[in-house]
Amino acid sequence: MDVPARRYATSQDWTRLQPIIMRLYLDEDKTLEEVKAHMEEHHEFTTTISMYKKNLARWNAFKNLRPDEVLQILYLKKHRDAARKLSIFFIRDRPIDYDALQVYLSRNPSIFARLEAGATPSREAIQAVSCRSPLLNQSTSVSRSRLLMSSCPAPTMRCNRLLPVSEDMFRALPIYLERCFKTSLWSWSQSDCWNTLGRHGPSGFLSSVLDRCITAGLSATRQVEPGALRRALDVPFAMIIRVFRNPPPILIPKLLSTAAHLNRIGRGEVRALLLQFCRDLTIATYGQDHQLARFWKGFLSVSHLELQDATERILFLYMSEYDKRLGPAHSLSMEAYLKYFDTVERERGPQVQLESLQQRLSKADNTLTSRSLHELLKLEHALAVCKLKLEKGQLDEAENALSRLEPDSLAARDESFRCIWLGYVQCLKGDLASAETFYKKSVSAARRTGSRDCVLESLYQLETFLIHAGKHLEAERIRIERFRLLQKLGLLVWVDQRDILGLENRTSGPVVTMIHVGSGASNTRWQPSAYAEVAEYTKHISLGRGSG
């Protein structure tokens, strides 16, 4: 006997059975698989999981809290607390789960920074969230339902996971930023912001220094011999003192973004050296009570479990402060956003990345945002689209997302990055000849940057591809070139002797030590106040060795 053909759900079926699907999914808290099985067995309703997801999204049937909805809840709660009103909150006419909200707040503490910065929830969130005072008979049973929210305490008390974090560092940063703008340490125009004494030099120099730290971390991961790693780390630690004497507006966002990157590539020890050095150098330069010293002491006291949350809050604070002072289209605001994106949003899915970038691009202005930053935003947006298409197996669309960008409009560094991704897509498509062409174009673009660190990264990506393609002799040639370049990167490392070396006879206050890593040479102590001597010495090193 023939088995009757399976009939898939029509749009009329979806409309007719919507209440049942919503009840199963939301009220009974069933998984999509369980909903699907129930509907097939009891209602002969056959469809795919992806169709369930699509229609539930169309009905705004979300189990998980959304950032803007939580922000709107906190806004309403803040005003109702001021009026001493008890509150029951609803999202799309469904009461919120108090425990779920507490979990969300504990995992996303940056929502408090958005609240304090005056961020505006989306129109959809404002429409979705409502609240009212409980009826008299509700208040007696509310402790069982956990739907009634009591008065909202300060953010640090709202979330137990934040209790160990030093709030002093969050208070110190706005004071520091206020003083930098008011005392003219930083100057700004309609489209730019810079250190008055050093113009753009400190910021550019800082980027080179931190690039070198990343190169050193990657080199260790890629099994480079200790001597080469020593030289890769030498220059950035010896030279960073110049940046701290003339701090650029983007100093802390760049440092925290680099520290997060070092963590991602498994080089926590390099990250620890960098941050501890920053703390002790700040104390030696400005004193224990300076706002930057308070910040670094607080940040280094954060536990490993709280580190990501604290970093996210700090970067969001910077982004919000610059948006408020200079406008969201200003180049400094855009640069702060890109550091936030690189550290926080890049850890999330491509759809979240895409939404974030679309929102930021809508604020860009060709008259206020530097061309290089504007094009970098477009590149990140294209890359998010590319990742989405790759997830769906749409390789041609993934390639088109990146190919539509004009190579001449991108900075050489960004063009090198774009070519690496195009090479990867071609490799997935099986076109190894085209992939090799793109990887070699990446190296050519990297050479135009003048940065040895950028060249090293592109050479490594080309070498990895050639091994994958079975061209081992060519890969070995690239490897030799990469190692030779790595050997030209510098000489000295500066670290905090007390925290890293664990030596006896510790002194009071910070001690910075010159260490010849990987060699038998003795350590040479240097007093942090001897700036002229160090500047002269490091200048000699950089001229003698060269730095990327």
Side-chain angles (χ1 to χ4, degrees):
M1 184 174 66
D2 294 336
V3 176
R6 178 177 294 184
R7 186 181 73 86
Y8 279 87
T10 65
S11 58
Q12 291 81 7
D13 293 331
W14 281 104
T15 302
R16 176 172 55 86
L17 295 170
Q18 177 182 348
I20 298 175
I21 296 170
M22 297 271 281
R23 173 174 57 78
L24 293 170
Y25 184 64
L26 296 177
D27 298 341
E28 299 184 18
D29 197 28
K30 292 184 182 294
T31 66
L32 285 178
E33 288 75 12
E34 290 170 337
V35 173
K36 181 175 182 291
H38 179 96
M39 295 301 294
E40 287 177 356
E41 179 179 354
H42 297 283
H43 300 278
E44 297 183 355
F45 182 84
T46 304
T47 188
T48 62
I49 291 292
S50 62
M51 286 302 295
Y52 273 108
K53 291 180 178 179
K54 180 179 179 180
N55 281 280
L56 286 167
R58 183 167 59 86
W59 298 335
N60 285 322
F62 299 106
K63 282 187 180 180
N64 298 326
L65 292 166
R66 306 179 116 189
D68 275 18
E69 292 170 353
V70 175
L71 183 61
Q72 176 64 4
I73 290 172
L74 294 180
Y75 267 122
L76 292 174
K77 180 130 187 62
K78 182 178 179 180
H79 293 300
R80 291 178 66 85
D81 285 351
R84 298 182 179 277
K85 294 181 179 179
L86 294 176
S87 306
I88 299 179
F89 289 89
F90 299 83
I91 297 178
R92 288 173 289 278
D93 297 323
R94 292 177 178 273
I96 67 163
D97 184 333
Y98 178 80
D99 291 327
L101 179 61
Q102 286 287 66
V103 170
Y104 182 93
L105 293 172
S106 71
R107 292 176 177 173
N108 299 273
S110 63
I111 200 75
F112 291 116
R114 293 185 65 194
L115 178 69
E116 294 160 7
T120 304
S122 67
R123 184 176 61 183
E124 292 79 8
I126 293 173
Q127 293 173 345
V129 176
S130 60
C131 71
R132 63 171 180 258
S133 298
L135 300 175
L136 193 59
N137 62 347
Q138 281 183 293
S139 59
T140 60
S141 61
V142 79
S143 60
R144 293 192 301 273
S145 66
R146 302 283 288 167
L147 299 177
L148 182 65
M149 293 176 63
S150 58
S151 182
C152 185
T156 53
M157 298 302 294
R158 192 79 180 113
C159 168
N160 291 334
R161 292 183 71 243
L162 292 182
L163 289 176
V165 177
S166 169
E167 289 298 314
D168 184 53
M169 65 178 173
F170 295 109
R171 291 190 289 269
L173 280 180
I175 298 172
Y176 168 68
L177 293 174
E178 179 74 16
R179 289 186 176 180
C180 287
F181 280 105
K182 281 193 171 180
T183 60
S184 299
L185 175 63
W186 296 341
S187 299
W188 64 95
S189 65
Q190 187 182 22
S191 60
D192 215 343
C193 186
W194 60 89
N195 181 292
T196 304
L197 298 177
R199 192 68 185 178
H200 298 294
S203 181
F205 185 55
L206 176 63
S207 295
S208 296
V209 165
L210 296 181
D211 281 350
R212 188 59 51 80
C213 290
I214 296 294
T215 298
L218 289 170
S219 299
T221 304
R222 293 163 183 174
Q223 299 178 341
V224 176
E225 69 273 13
L229 174 59
R230 179 200 71 204
R231 287 187 290 273
L233 273 172
D234 287 342
V235 168
F237 278 72
M239 303 287 273
I240 203 169
I241 184 173
R242 297 186 180 185
V243 179
F244 270 71
R245 293 179 65 193
N246 243 342
I250 203 68
L251 173 70
I252 288 177
K254 279 188 175 180
L255 283 166
L256 296 191
S257 178
T258 299
H261 193 161
L262 288 166
N263 253 358
R264 285 199 297 267
I265 63 176
R267 295 269 62 90
E269 75 282 8
V270 180
R271 171 197 164 277
L273 286 171
L274 174 65
L275 296 182
Q276 289 165 8
F277 183 74
C278 289
R279 177 197 62 194
D280 288 334
L281 189 55
T282 302
I283 293 172
T285 305
Y286 300 108
Q288 293 273 0
D289 297 326
H290 190 272
Q291 292 82 23
L292 277 183
R294 287 163 53 196
F295 165 75
W296 284 116
K297 285 188 291 184
F299 188 73
L300 266 76
S301 71
V302 175
S303 70
H304 180 73
L305 290 175
E306 308 294 334
L307 191 59
Q308 179 63 26
D309 290 342
T311 301
E312 182 175 340
R313 288 180 66 188
I314 293 162
L315 291 174
F316 191 89
L317 186 151
Y318 261 89
M319 186 170 63
S320 301
E321 283 287 327
Y322 290 155
D323 280 358
K324 181 172 64 177
R325 292 174 180 275
L326 304 170
H330 193 278
S331 291
L332 181 59
S333 303
M334 286 293 182
E335 190 171 7
Y337 165 77
L338 284 166
K339 295 303 173 189
Y340 175 85
F341 176 86
D342 190 50
T343 307
V344 178
E345 304 285 17
R346 205 180 292 283
E347 294 294 301
R348 297 167 180 165
Q351 183 61 50
V352 176
Q353 295 176 26
L354 189 60
E355 291 171 1
S356 174
L357 289 161
Q358 285 173 338
Q359 184 180 22
R360 199 69 193 190
L361 273 168
S362 68
K363 300 177 182 179
D365 186 324
N366 289 331
T367 62
L368 302 178
T369 308
S370 73
R371 181 184 176 188
S372 60
L373 287 174
H374 200 173
E375 295 302 324
L376 179 54
L377 274 173
K378 291 180 181 178
L379 172 60
E380 291 288 5
H381 182 271
L383 183 57
V385 174
C386 174
K387 292 175 182 176
L388 271 177
K389 299 301 183 184
L390 288 178
E391 282 187 352
K392 298 175 181 178
Q394 299 170 347
L395 301 183
D396 289 336
E397 289 85 347
E399 179 186 356
N400 289 338
L402 292 171
S403 298
R404 281 195 292 266
L405 296 172
E406 291 292 335
D408 294 339
S409 66
L410 294 170
R413 181 190 198 91
D414 300 331
E415 170 60 8
S416 177
F417 185 65
R418 185 184 78 99
C419 287
I420 287 173
W421 268 92
L422 281 169
Y424 173 67
V425 173
Q426 293 296 333
C427 193
L428 291 178
K429 294 173 71 175
D431 189 348
L432 297 185
S434 295
E436 182 173 350
T437 299
F438 277 117
Y439 280 113
K440 288 181 176 179
K441 284 183 177 180
S442 173
V443 175
S444 298
R447 294 190 196 283
R448 294 199 300 272
T449 66
S451 167
R452 288 175 179 167
D453 304 283
C454 190
V455 174
L456 280 167
E457 179 60 24
S458 61
L459 285 173
Y460 176 77
Q461 297 295 339
L462 174 58
E463 175 190 333
T464 303
F465 165 75
L466 290 172
I467 292 173
H468 170 77
K471 298 184 175 183
H472 298 286
L473 288 178
E474 291 185 48
E476 184 62 24
R477 180 180 59 80
I478 297 299
R479 181 180 176 85
I480 292 171
E481 180 182 356
R482 181 166 63 87
F483 277 13
R484 284 176 178 169
L485 186 61
L486 191 65
Q487 291 170 351
K488 300 177 181 178
L489 292 183
L491 180 65
L492 290 176
V493 175
W494 304 76
V495 297
D496 174 33
Q497 180 178 358
R498 291 175 302 157
D499 288 347
I500 301 302
L501 299 180
L503 299 180
E504 301 298 328
N505 303 321
R506 298 177 178 180
T507 61
S508 60
V511 176
V512 181
T513 305
M514 293 189 301
I515 300 177
H516 300 267
V517 178
S519 75
S522 61
N523 300 332
T524 305
R525 278 191 189 176
W526 165 72
Q527 298 302 319
S529 59
Y531 295 124
E533 177 186 347
V534 175
E536 181 179 351
Y537 184 61
T538 54
K539 180 179 179 182
H540 171 73
I541 295 301
S542 66
L543 290 175
R545 293 272 181 178
S547 64

